[in-house]
Amino acid sequence: MQPRAARLPTRALIHVRTPTSEFDATIGNVSADGARLLGVPDDMLEVGDTLEIVVGNYHHLAEVRWHIDDTCGLAFNTSLSALQIATILGSQHIH
């Protein structure tokens, strides 16, 4: 079993796009392989949904792995680079 990647706490504001909607949310923590998303509007996401998070010029595809209340866990389709993680950690506003 592979060790779990380090999760870095943040309160980065991001934009989320799904095939049917768009909304703003907050990343609560991030690792190279996934993130915890906070502030998800009611009934916007289901487990298994594919979405795109937008931070600056970066667009990351992810799958919803779990969802409880207004929080969900994401698994990125491809691992984030150190630069992409730094961009998320440094995000102060919605782009």
Side-chain angles (χ1 to χ4, degrees):
M1 182 175 204
Q2 217 171 12
R4 189 175 184 178
R7 295 175 185 272
L8 304 169
T10 184
R11 286 297 182 260
L13 299 174
I14 61 161
H15 190 72
V16 178
R17 293 181 183 145
T18 73
T20 59
S21 64
E22 294 187 25
F23 59 92
D24 298 323
T26 302
I27 293 182
N29 66 44
V30 65
S31 72
D33 297 319
R36 181 175 50 142
L37 197 59
L38 310 171
V40 177
D42 289 342
D43 302 320
M44 291 296 267
L45 299 175
E46 303 271 335
V47 172
D49 284 354
T50 298
L51 56 82
E52 176 183 40
I53 65 168
V54 180
V55 182
N57 293 326
Y58 292 111
H59 298 248
H60 311 288
L61 292 177
E63 179 182 328
V64 177
R65 300 302 277 251
W66 57 267
H67 188 260
I68 300 171
D69 298 326
D70 71 341
T71 305
C72 66
L74 305 178
F76 295 122
N77 289 11
T78 57
S79 295
L80 301 183
S81 68
L83 178 59
Q84 291 169 321
I85 291 172
T87 298
I88 290 171
L89 294 174
S91 177
Q92 298 295 317
H93 57 281
I94 297 169
H95 298 275

Coordinates of all heavy atoms in Angstrom, one line a residue:
M1 N 0.8 -1.2 0.0 CA 0.0 0.0 0.0 C 0.9 1.2 0.0 O 1.8 1.4 0.8 CB -0.9 0.0 1.2 CG -1.9 1.1 1.3 SD -2.9 0.9 2.7 CE -4.3 1.8 2.2
Q2 N 0.6 2.2 -0.9 CA 1.3 3.4 -1.0 C 0.9 4.4 0.1 O -0.2 4.5 0.4 CB 1.0 4.0 -2.4 CG 2.2 4.7 -3.0 CD 1.9 5.1 -4.4 OE1 0.8 5.0 -4.9 NE2 2.9 5.4 -5.2
P3 N 1.9 5.1 0.7 CA 1.6 6.1 1.7 C 0.8 7.2 1.1 O 0.9 7.6 -0.1 CB 2.9 6.6 2.2 CG 3.9 6.2 1.2 CD 3.3 5.0 0.4
R4 N -0.1 7.7 1.9 CA -1.0 8.9 1.5 C -0.1 10.1 1.4 O 0.7 10.4 2.2 CB -2.0 9.1 2.6 CG -3.1 10.0 2.3 CD -4.1 10.0 3.4 NE -5.2 10.8 3.1 CZ -6.3 10.9 3.8 NH1 -6.4 10.3 5.0 NH2 -7.3 11.7 3.5
A5 N -0.4 10.9 0.3 CA 0.4 12.1 0.1 C 0.1 13.1 1.1 O -1.0 13.2 1.7 CB 0.0 12.7 -1.3
A6 N 1.1 14.0 1.5 CA 0.9 15.0 2.5 C -0.2 16.0 2.0 O -0.2 16.4 0.8 CB 2.2 15.8 2.7
R7 N -1.1 16.3 2.9 CA -2.2 17.2 2.6 C -1.8 18.6 3.2 O -1.5 18.7 4.4 CB -3.5 16.7 3.2 CG -3.9 15.4 2.5 CD -5.2 14.8 3.1 NE -5.4 13.6 2.4 CZ -6.1 13.4 1.3 NH1 -6.7 14.5 0.8 NH2 -6.3 12.2 0.8
L8 N -1.9 19.6 2.4 CA -1.5 20.9 2.8 C -2.7 21.8 3.0 O -3.5 21.9 2.1 CB -0.6 21.6 1.7 CG 0.6 20.7 1.4 CD1 1.3 21.3 0.1 CD2 1.6 20.7 2.5
P9 N -2.9 22.3 4.2 CA -4.1 23.1 4.5 C -4.0 24.5 3.8 O -3.0 25.0 3.5 CB -4.0 23.4 6.0 CG -2.6 23.2 6.4 CD -2.0 22.3 5.4
T10 N -5.2 24.9 3.4 CA -5.3 26.2 2.6 C -6.8 26.6 2.8 O -7.7 25.9 3.2 CB -4.9 26.0 1.2 OG1 -5.0 27.3 0.5 CG2 -5.8 25.1 0.4
R11 N -7.0 27.8 2.4 CA -8.4 28.3 2.2 C -8.5 29.1 0.9 O -9.0 30.2 0.8 CB -8.8 29.3 3.4 CG -9.1 28.5 4.7 CD -10.3 27.6 4.5 NE -10.6 26.9 5.7 CZ -10.3 25.6 6.0 NH1 -9.5 24.9 5.2 NH2 -10.7 25.1 7.1
A12 N -7.9 28.4 -0.2 CA -7.9 29.0 -1.5 C -9.3 29.1 -2.1 O -10.0 28.1 -2.1 CB -6.9 28.2 -2.4
L13 N -9.6 30.2 -2.6 CA -10.9 30.4 -3.3 C -10.7 30.0 -4.8 O -9.7 30.4 -5.4 CB -11.3 31.8 -3.3 CG -11.6 32.3 -1.9 CD1 -11.9 33.8 -1.9 CD2 -12.7 31.6 -1.2
I14 N -11.6 29.1 -5.3 CA -11.5 28.6 -6.6 C -12.9 28.7 -7.4 O -13.9 29.0 -6.7 CB -11.0 27.2 -6.7 CG1 -12.0 26.3 -5.9 CG2 -9.6 27.0 -6.1 CD1 -11.9 24.8 -6.2
H15 N -12.8 28.5 -8.6 CA -14.0 28.4 -9.4 C -14.2 26.9 -9.9 O -13.2 26.3 -10.2 CB -13.9 29.3 -10.6 CG -15.2 29.5 -11.4 ND1 -16.3 30.2 -10.8 CD2 -15.7 29.0 -12.6 CE1 -17.3 30.1 -11.7 NE2 -16.9 29.4 -12.8
V16 N -15.4 26.4 -9.8 CA -15.7 25.0 -10.2 C -16.6 25.0 -11.4 O -17.6 25.7 -11.4 CB -16.3 24.3 -9.0 CG1 -16.6 22.8 -9.4 CG2 -15.4 24.3 -7.8
R17 N -16.3 24.2 -12.3 CA -17.2 24.0 -13.5 C -17.5 22.5 -13.6 O -16.7 21.6 -13.5 CB -16.5 24.4 -14.8 CG -16.2 25.8 -14.9 CD -15.5 26.1 -16.2 NE -15.1 27.6 -16.3 CZ -14.1 28.0 -16.8 NH1 -13.2 27.2 -17.4 NH2 -13.9 29.3 -16.8
T18 N -18.8 22.2 -13.8 CA -19.3 20.9 -14.1 C -20.0 20.9 -15.4 O -20.2 22.0 -16.0 CB -20.3 20.5 -13.0 OG1 -21.6 21.2 -13.2 CG2 -19.8 20.7 -11.6
P19 N -20.4 19.8 -16.0 CA -21.1 19.8 -17.3 C -22.4 20.6 -17.3 O -22.8 21.1 -18.3 CB -21.3 18.4 -17.6 CG -20.3 17.6 -16.8 CD -20.1 18.4 -15.6
T20 N -23.0 20.8 -16.1 CA -24.3 21.5 -16.0 C -24.3 22.8 -15.2 O -25.3 23.5 -15.2 CB -25.3 20.5 -15.4 OG1 -24.9 20.1 -14.1 CG2 -25.5 19.3 -16.3
S21 N -23.2 23.1 -14.5 CA -23.2 24.3 -13.7 C -21.8 24.8 -13.4 O -20.8 24.2 -13.7 CB -23.9 24.0 -12.3 OG -23.2 23.0 -11.6
E22 N -21.8 26.0 -12.7 CA -20.5 26.6 -12.3 C -20.8 27.2 -10.9 O -21.9 27.7 -10.7 CB -20.0 27.7 -13.2 CG -19.6 27.2 -14.6 CD -19.0 28.3 -15.4 OE1 -18.5 29.3 -14.9 OE2 -19.1 28.1 -16.7
F23 N -19.8 27.2 -10.0 CA -19.9 27.9 -8.7 C -18.6 28.1 -8.2 O -17.6 27.6 -8.6 CB -20.8 27.0 -7.8 CG -20.3 25.6 -7.5 CD1 -19.5 25.4 -6.4 CD2 -20.6 24.6 -8.3 CE1 -19.0 24.1 -6.2 CE2 -20.2 23.3 -8.1 CZ -19.3 23.1 -7.0
D24 N -18.5 29.0 -7.1 CA -17.3 29.2 -6.4 C -17.2 28.4 -5.1 O -18.3 28.2 -4.5 CB -17.2 30.7 -6.1 CG -17.2 31.6 -7.3 OD1 -16.5 31.2 -8.3 OD2 -17.8 32.7 -7.3
A25 N -16.0 28.0 -4.7 CA -15.9 27.2 -3.5 C -14.5 27.5 -3.0 O -13.7 28.3 -3.5 CB -16.1 25.7 -3.9
T26 N -14.2 26.8 -1.9 CA -12.9 26.9 -1.2 C -12.2 25.5 -1.1 O -12.9 24.5 -0.8 CB -13.1 27.5 0.2 OG1 -13.8 28.7 0.1 CG2 -11.8 27.6 1.0
I27 N -10.9 25.5 -1.3 CA -10.2 24.3 -1.1 C -9.7 24.3 0.4 O -9.1 25.2 0.8 CB -9.0 24.1 -2.0 CG1 -9.5 23.9 -3.5 CG2 -8.1 23.0 -1.6 CD1 -8.4 23.8 -4.5
G28 N -10.1 23.3 1.1 CA -9.7 23.2 2.5 C -8.3 22.6 2.7 O -7.6 22.9 3.6
N29 N -7.9 21.6 1.8 CA -6.6 21.1 1.8 C -6.3 20.5 0.4 O -7.2 20.2 -0.3 CB -6.3 20.1 2.9 CG -7.1 18.8 2.8 OD1 -7.3 18.2 1.7 ND2 -7.7 18.3 3.9
V30 N -5.0 20.4 0.1 CA -4.7 19.9 -1.2 C -3.4 19.0 -1.1 O -2.6 19.2 -0.3 CB -4.4 21.1 -2.2 CG1 -3.3 22.0 -1.8 CG2 -4.3 20.7 -3.6
S31 N -3.4 18.0 -2.0 CA -2.2 17.2 -2.2 C -2.0 17.1 -3.7 O -2.8 17.5 -4.5 CB -2.3 15.9 -1.5 OG -3.2 15.1 -2.2
A32 N -0.9 16.4 -4.1 CA -0.7 16.2 -5.5 C -1.8 15.4 -6.2 O -2.1 15.6 -7.4 CB 0.6 15.5 -5.7
D33 N -2.5 14.6 -5.4 CA -3.5 13.7 -6.0 C -5.0 14.0 -5.7 O -5.9 13.4 -6.3 CB -3.3 12.2 -5.5 CG -1.9 11.7 -6.0 OD1 -1.5 12.0 -7.2 OD2 -1.2 11.1 -5.2
G34 N -5.2 15.0 -4.8 CA -6.6 15.4 -4.5 C -6.7 16.6 -3.6 O -5.7 17.2 -3.3
A35 N -8.0 16.9 -3.3 CA -8.3 18.0 -2.5 C -9.6 17.8 -1.7 O -10.4 17.0 -2.1 CB -8.3 19.3 -3.3
R36 N -9.7 18.6 -0.7 CA -11.0 18.7 0.0 C -11.7 20.0 -0.4 O -11.1 21.1 -0.3 CB -10.9 18.6 1.5 CG -12.2 18.7 2.3 CD -12.0 18.5 3.7 NE -10.9 19.4 4.2 CZ -11.0 20.0 5.4 NH1 -11.9 19.8 6.2 NH2 -10.0 20.8 5.7
L37 N -12.9 20.0 -0.9 CA -13.6 21.1 -1.4 C -14.7 21.5 -0.3 O -15.4 20.7 0.1 CB -14.2 20.8 -2.7 CG -14.7 21.9 -3.6 CD1 -13.6 22.9 -3.9 CD2 -15.3 21.4 -4.9
L38 N -14.7 22.8 0.1 CA -15.6 23.3 1.1 C -16.6 24.3 0.4 O -16.2 24.9 -0.6 CB -14.9 24.0 2.2 CG -13.7 23.3 2.8 CD1 -13.0 24.3 3.7 CD2 -14.2 22.1 3.6
G39 N -17.8 24.4 0.9 CA -18.8 25.4 0.4 C -19.5 25.0 -0.8 O -19.8 25.8 -1.6
V40 N -19.6 23.7 -1.0 CA -20.3 23.2 -2.2 C -21.8 23.4 -2.1 O -22.4 23.0 -1.1 CB -20.1 21.7 -2.4 CG1 -20.8 21.2 -3.6 CG2 -18.6 21.4 -2.6
P41 N -22.5 24.1 -3.0 CA -23.9 24.4 -2.9 C -24.7 23.1 -2.9 O -24.3 22.1 -3.5 CB -24.2 25.2 -4.1 CG -22.9 25.8 -4.5 CD -21.9 24.8 -4.1
D42 N -25.8 23.1 -2.2 CA -26.7 21.9 -2.1 C -27.0 21.3 -3.5 O -27.3 22.1 -4.4 CB -28.0 22.3 -1.4 CG -27.8 22.5 0.1 OD1 -26.8 22.1 0.6 OD2 -28.7 23.1 0.7
D43 N -26.9 20.0 -3.6 CA -27.3 19.3 -4.8 C -26.5 19.6 -6.0 O -27.0 19.4 -7.1 CB -28.8 19.4 -5.1 CG -29.7 19.0 -3.9 OD1 -29.3 18.0 -3.3 OD2 -30.7 19.7 -3.6
M44 N -25.3 20.2 -5.9 CA -24.5 20.5 -7.1 C -23.6 19.4 -7.5 O -23.3 19.3 -8.7 CB -23.6 21.7 -6.8 CG -24.4 23.0 -6.6 SD -25.3 23.5 -8.1 CE -24.1 24.5 -8.8
L45 N -23.2 18.5 -6.6 CA -22.3 17.4 -6.9 C -22.7 16.1 -6.4 O -23.3 16.1 -5.3 CB -20.9 17.7 -6.4 CG -20.2 19.0 -6.9 CD1 -18.9 19.2 -6.2 CD2 -20.0 18.9 -8.5
E46 N -22.4 15.0 -7.1 CA -22.7 13.7 -6.6 C -21.3 12.9 -6.7 O -20.5 13.2 -7.5 CB -23.7 13.0 -7.6 CG -25.0 13.7 -7.7 CD -26.0 13.3 -6.7 OE1 -25.9 12.2 -6.2 OE2 -26.9 14.1 -6.4
V47 N -21.2 11.9 -5.9 CA -20.1 11.0 -6.0 C -20.0 10.4 -7.4 O -21.0 10.0 -8.0 CB -20.2 9.9 -4.9 CG1 -19.1 8.8 -5.1 CG2 -20.1 10.4 -3.5
G48 N -18.8 10.5 -7.9 CA -18.5 10.0 -9.3 C -18.6 11.1 -10.4 O -18.1 10.9 -11.5
D49 N -19.1 12.3 -10.0 CA -19.1 13.4 -11.0 C -17.7 13.9 -11.3 O -16.8 13.8 -10.5 CB -19.8 14.7 -10.4 CG -21.3 14.5 -10.3 OD1 -21.9 13.5 -10.9 OD2 -22.0 15.4 -9.8
T50 N -17.5 14.3 -12.6 CA -16.3 14.9 -13.0 C -16.5 16.4 -13.0 O -17.5 16.9 -13.4 CB -15.9 14.4 -14.4 OG1 -15.7 13.0 -14.4 CG2 -14.7 15.1 -14.9
L51 N -15.5 17.1 -12.6 CA -15.5 18.6 -12.5 C -14.2 19.1 -12.9 O -13.2 18.4 -13.0 CB -16.0 19.1 -11.2 CG -15.2 18.6 -9.9 CD1 -14.0 19.5 -9.7 CD2 -16.1 18.7 -8.7
E52 N -14.2 20.4 -13.1 CA -12.9 21.2 -13.4 C -12.8 22.3 -12.3 O -13.7 23.0 -12.1 CB -13.0 21.8 -14.8 CG -11.9 22.6 -15.2 CD -12.0 23.2 -16.5 OE1 -13.2 23.6 -16.9 OE2 -11.1 23.3 -17.3
I53 N -11.6 22.3 -11.7 CA -11.4 23.5 -10.8 C -10.5 24.4 -11.5 O -9.6 24.0 -12.3 CB -10.8 23.1 -9.4 CG1 -9.4 22.5 -9.5 CG2 -11.8 22.1 -8.7 CD1 -8.7 22.3 -8.2
V54 N -10.7 25.7 -11.4 CA -10.0 26.8 -12.1 C -9.3 27.6 -11.0 O -10.0 28.2 -10.1 CB -10.9 27.6 -12.9 CG1 -10.1 28.7 -13.7 CG2 -11.7 26.7 -13.9
V55 N -8.0 27.7 -11.1 CA -7.2 28.5 -10.2 C -6.2 29.3 -11.1 O -5.3 28.6 -11.7 CB -6.4 27.7 -9.2 CG1 -5.6 28.6 -8.2 CG2 -7.3 26.8 -8.4
G56 N -6.3 30.6 -11.3 CA -5.4 31.3 -12.1 C -5.6 30.8 -13.6 O -6.7 30.6 -14.1
N57 N -4.5 30.5 -14.2 CA -4.5 29.9 -15.5 C -4.5 28.4 -15.6 O -4.5 27.8 -16.6 CB -3.2 30.4 -16.3 CG -3.3 31.9 -16.6 OD1 -4.3 32.5 -16.8 ND2 -2.1 32.5 -16.5
Y58 N -4.6 27.8 -14.4 CA -4.6 26.3 -14.3 C -6.0 25.8 -14.3 O -6.9 26.4 -13.6 CB -3.9 25.8 -13.1 CG -2.4 26.1 -13.2 CD1 -1.8 27.0 -12.3 CD2 -1.6 25.4 -14.1 CE1 -0.4 27.2 -12.4 CE2 -0.2 25.6 -14.2 CZ 0.4 26.5 -13.3 OH 1.7 26.7 -13.4
H59 N -6.3 24.7 -15.0 CA -7.6 24.0 -15.0 C -7.2 22.6 -14.6 O -6.4 21.9 -15.3 CB -8.2 24.1 -16.3 CG -8.5 25.5 -16.8 ND1 -9.8 25.9 -16.9 CD2 -7.7 26.5 -17.1 CE1 -9.8 27.2 -17.3 NE2 -8.6 27.6 -17.4
H60 N -7.9 22.0 -13.6 CA -7.6 20.7 -13.1 C -8.9 19.9 -13.2 O -9.9 20.3 -12.6 CB -7.0 20.7 -11.7 CG -5.9 21.6 -11.5 ND1 -4.7 21.5 -12.0 CD2 -5.9 22.8 -10.8 CE1 -3.9 22.5 -11.6 NE2 -4.6 23.3 -10.9
L61 N -8.8 18.7 -13.9 CA -10.0 17.8 -13.9 C -9.9 16.9 -12.7 O -8.8 16.5 -12.3 CB -10.0 17.0 -15.1 CG -10.3 17.8 -16.4 CD1 -10.2 16.8 -17.6 CD2 -11.6 18.4 -16.4
A62 N -11.0 16.7 -12.1 CA -11.1 15.8 -10.9 C -12.4 15.1 -10.8 O -13.4 15.4 -11.5 CB -10.9 16.7 -9.6
E63 N -12.4 14.0 -10.0 CA -13.6 13.2 -9.8 C -14.0 13.4 -8.3 O -13.1 13.3 -7.4 CB -13.4 11.8 -10.1 CG -14.6 10.9 -9.8 CD -14.3 9.4 -10.1 OE1 -13.5 9.1 -11.0 OE2 -14.9 8.6 -9.4
V64 N -15.3 13.5 -8.0 CA -15.8 13.6 -6.7 C -15.8 12.1 -6.1 O -16.4 11.2 -6.6 CB -17.2 14.1 -6.6 CG1 -17.8 14.1 -5.2 CG2 -17.3 15.5 -7.2
R65 N -15.0 11.9 -5.0 CA -14.9 10.6 -4.4 C -15.8 10.4 -3.2 O -16.2 9.3 -2.9 CB -13.4 10.4 -3.9 CG -12.4 10.5 -5.1 CD -12.8 9.5 -6.2 NE -12.2 8.2 -5.8 CZ -11.2 7.6 -6.4 NH1 -10.6 8.2 -7.4 NH2 -10.7 6.5 -6.0
W66 N -16.1 11.5 -2.5 CA -17.0 11.4 -1.4 C -17.7 12.8 -1.2 O -17.1 13.8 -1.7 CB -16.4 11.0 -0.1 CG -15.2 11.8 0.4 CD1 -13.9 11.6 0.1 CD2 -15.3 13.0 1.2 NE1 -13.1 12.6 0.7 CE2 -14.0 13.4 1.4 CE3 -16.3 13.7 1.8 CZ2 -13.7 14.6 2.1 CZ3 -16.0 14.8 2.5 CH2 -14.7 15.2 2.7
H67 N -18.9 12.8 -0.6 CA -19.6 14.1 -0.5 C -20.5 14.0 0.8 O -21.3 13.1 0.9 CB -20.5 14.3 -1.7 CG -21.1 15.7 -1.8 ND1 -22.4 15.9 -1.4 CD2 -20.6 16.9 -2.1 CE1 -22.7 17.1 -1.6 NE2 -21.7 17.8 -2.0
I68 N -20.2 15.0 1.7 CA -21.0 15.1 2.9 C -21.3 16.5 3.2 O -20.4 17.4 3.2 CB -20.2 14.5 4.2 CG1 -19.9 13.0 3.9 CG2 -21.0 14.7 5.4 CD1 -18.9 12.5 5.0
D69 N -22.6 16.8 3.3 CA -23.1 18.2 3.5 C -22.5 19.1 2.4 O -22.7 18.9 1.2 CB -22.8 18.7 4.9 CG -23.5 17.9 6.0 OD1 -24.6 17.4 5.7 OD2 -22.9 17.7 7.1
D70 N -21.8 20.2 2.8 CA -21.2 21.1 1.8 C -19.7 20.8 1.5 O -19.0 21.7 1.0 CB -21.4 22.5 2.2 CG -20.6 22.9 3.4 OD1 -20.1 22.1 4.1 OD2 -20.4 24.1 3.6
T71 N -19.3 19.6 1.8 CA -17.8 19.3 1.7 C -17.7 18.0 0.8 O -18.5 17.1 0.9 CB -17.2 19.0 3.1 OG1 -17.4 20.2 3.9 CG2 -15.7 18.7 3.0
C72 N -16.7 18.0 0.0 CA -16.5 16.8 -0.8 C -15.0 16.6 -1.0 O -14.2 17.5 -0.9 CB -17.2 16.8 -2.1 SG -16.6 18.0 -3.3
G73 N -14.6 15.3 -1.3 CA -13.2 14.9 -1.6 C -13.1 14.7 -3.0 O -13.9 14.1 -3.7
L74 N -12.0 15.3 -3.6 CA -11.7 15.2 -5.0 C -10.4 14.3 -5.2 O -9.5 14.4 -4.5 CB -11.5 16.6 -5.6 CG -12.5 17.6 -5.4 CD1 -12.1 18.9 -6.0 CD2 -13.9 17.1 -6.0
A75 N -10.4 13.6 -6.3 CA -9.2 12.9 -6.8 C -8.9 13.5 -8.2 O -9.8 13.5 -9.1 CB -9.5 11.4 -6.9
F76 N -7.7 14.1 -8.3 CA -7.4 14.7 -9.6 C -7.1 13.6 -10.6 O -6.6 12.6 -10.3 CB -6.1 15.6 -9.4 CG -6.3 16.8 -8.6 CD1 -5.5 17.0 -7.4 CD2 -7.3 17.7 -8.8 CE1 -5.7 18.1 -6.6 CE2 -7.5 18.8 -8.0 CZ -6.7 19.0 -6.9
N77 N -7.5 13.9 -11.9 CA -7.2 12.9 -13.0 C -5.7 12.7 -13.2 O -5.3 11.6 -13.6 CB -7.9 13.4 -14.3 CG -9.4 13.3 -14.2 OD1 -10.0 13.1 -13.1 ND2 -10.1 13.5 -15.3
T78 N -5.0 13.8 -13.1 CA -3.5 13.7 -13.2 C -2.9 14.4 -12.0 O -3.5 15.4 -11.5 CB -2.9 14.3 -14.5 OG1 -3.3 15.7 -14.5 CG2 -3.4 13.6 -15.7
S79 N -1.8 13.9 -11.4 CA -1.2 14.5 -10.3 C -0.8 15.9 -10.5 O -0.3 16.3 -11.7 CB 0.0 13.7 -9.8 OG -0.4 12.4 -9.4
L80 N -0.9 16.8 -9.5 CA -0.5 18.2 -9.7 C 1.0 18.3 -9.5 O 1.6 17.5 -8.7 CB -1.1 19.0 -8.6 CG -2.7 19.1 -8.6 CD1 -3.1 20.1 -7.5 CD2 -3.2 19.5 -9.9
S81 N 1.6 19.2 -10.2 CA 3.0 19.5 -10.0 C 3.2 20.4 -8.8 O 2.3 21.0 -8.3 CB 3.6 20.3 -11.3 OG 3.0 21.6 -11.3
A82 N 4.5 20.5 -8.4 CA 4.8 21.4 -7.2 C 4.3 22.9 -7.6 O 3.8 23.6 -6.7 CB 6.3 21.4 -6.9
L83 N 4.5 23.3 -8.8 CA 4.1 24.7 -9.2 C 2.6 24.8 -9.1 O 2.1 25.8 -8.7 CB 4.6 25.0 -10.6 CG 4.2 26.3 -11.2 CD1 4.7 27.5 -10.3 CD2 4.7 26.5 -12.6
Q84 N 1.9 23.8 -9.6 CA 0.4 23.9 -9.5 C -0.1 23.9 -8.1 O -1.0 24.7 -7.7 CB -0.2 22.7 -10.3 CG 0.0 22.8 -11.8 CD -0.4 21.5 -12.5 OE1 -0.1 20.4 -12.0 NE2 -1.0 21.7 -13.7
I85 N 0.5 23.1 -7.2 CA 0.2 23.2 -5.8 C 0.5 24.5 -5.2 O -0.3 25.1 -4.5 CB 0.9 22.0 -5.0 CG1 0.3 20.7 -5.4 CG2 0.7 22.2 -3.5 CD1 1.1 19.5 -4.9
A86 N 1.6 25.1 -5.5 CA 2.0 26.4 -5.0 C 1.0 27.5 -5.5 O 0.7 28.4 -4.7 CB 3.4 26.8 -5.5
T87 N 0.5 27.3 -6.7 CA -0.4 28.3 -7.2 C -1.7 28.2 -6.4 O -2.3 29.2 -6.1 CB -0.7 28.0 -8.7 OG1 0.5 28.2 -9.5 CG2 -1.8 29.0 -9.3
I88 N -2.2 27.0 -6.1 CA -3.4 26.9 -5.3 C -3.2 27.4 -3.9 O -4.0 28.2 -3.4 CB -3.8 25.4 -5.2 CG1 -4.3 24.9 -6.6 CG2 -4.9 25.2 -4.2 CD1 -4.6 23.4 -6.7
L89 N -2.0 27.1 -3.3 CA -1.8 27.6 -1.9 C -1.7 29.1 -1.9 O -2.0 29.7 -0.9 CB -0.5 27.0 -1.4 CG -0.5 25.5 -1.2 CD1 0.8 24.9 -0.8 CD2 -1.6 25.1 -0.1
G90 N -1.2 29.7 -3.0 CA -1.1 31.2 -3.1 C -2.3 31.9 -3.5 O -2.3 33.1 -3.6
S91 N -3.3 31.2 -3.9 CA -4.5 31.8 -4.4 C -5.3 32.6 -3.4 O -5.6 32.1 -2.3 CB -5.5 30.7 -5.0 OG -6.7 31.3 -5.5
Q92 N -5.5 33.9 -3.6 CA -6.2 34.7 -2.7 C -7.5 35.1 -3.1 O -8.4 35.6 -2.3 CB -5.3 36.0 -2.4 CG -4.0 35.7 -1.8 CD -4.1 35.2 -0.4 OE1 -4.9 35.6 0.4 NE2 -3.3 34.1 -0.2
H93 N -7.8 35.0 -4.4 CA -9.1 35.4 -4.9 C -9.5 34.5 -6.1 O -8.7 33.8 -6.6 CB -9.1 36.9 -5.3 CG -8.0 37.1 -6.4 ND1 -6.7 37.3 -6.0 CD2 -8.1 37.3 -7.7 CE1 -6.0 37.5 -7.1 NE2 -6.8 37.5 -8.2
I94 N -10.8 34.6 -6.4 CA -11.3 33.8 -7.5 C -10.9 34.4 -8.8 O -11.0 35.6 -9.0 CB -12.9 33.8 -7.4 CG1 -13.2 33.1 -6.1 CG2 -13.5 33.1 -8.6 CD1 -14.7 33.2 -5.7
H95 N -10.5 33.5 -9.8 CA -10.1 34.0 -11.1 C -11.2 33.6 -12.1 O -11.8 32.6 -12.1 CB -8.8 33.3 -11.5 CG -7.7 33.6 -10.6 ND1 -6.9 34.8 -10.8 CD2 -7.2 33.0 -9.5 CE1 -6.0 34.8 -9.8 NE2 -6.2 33.8 -9.0

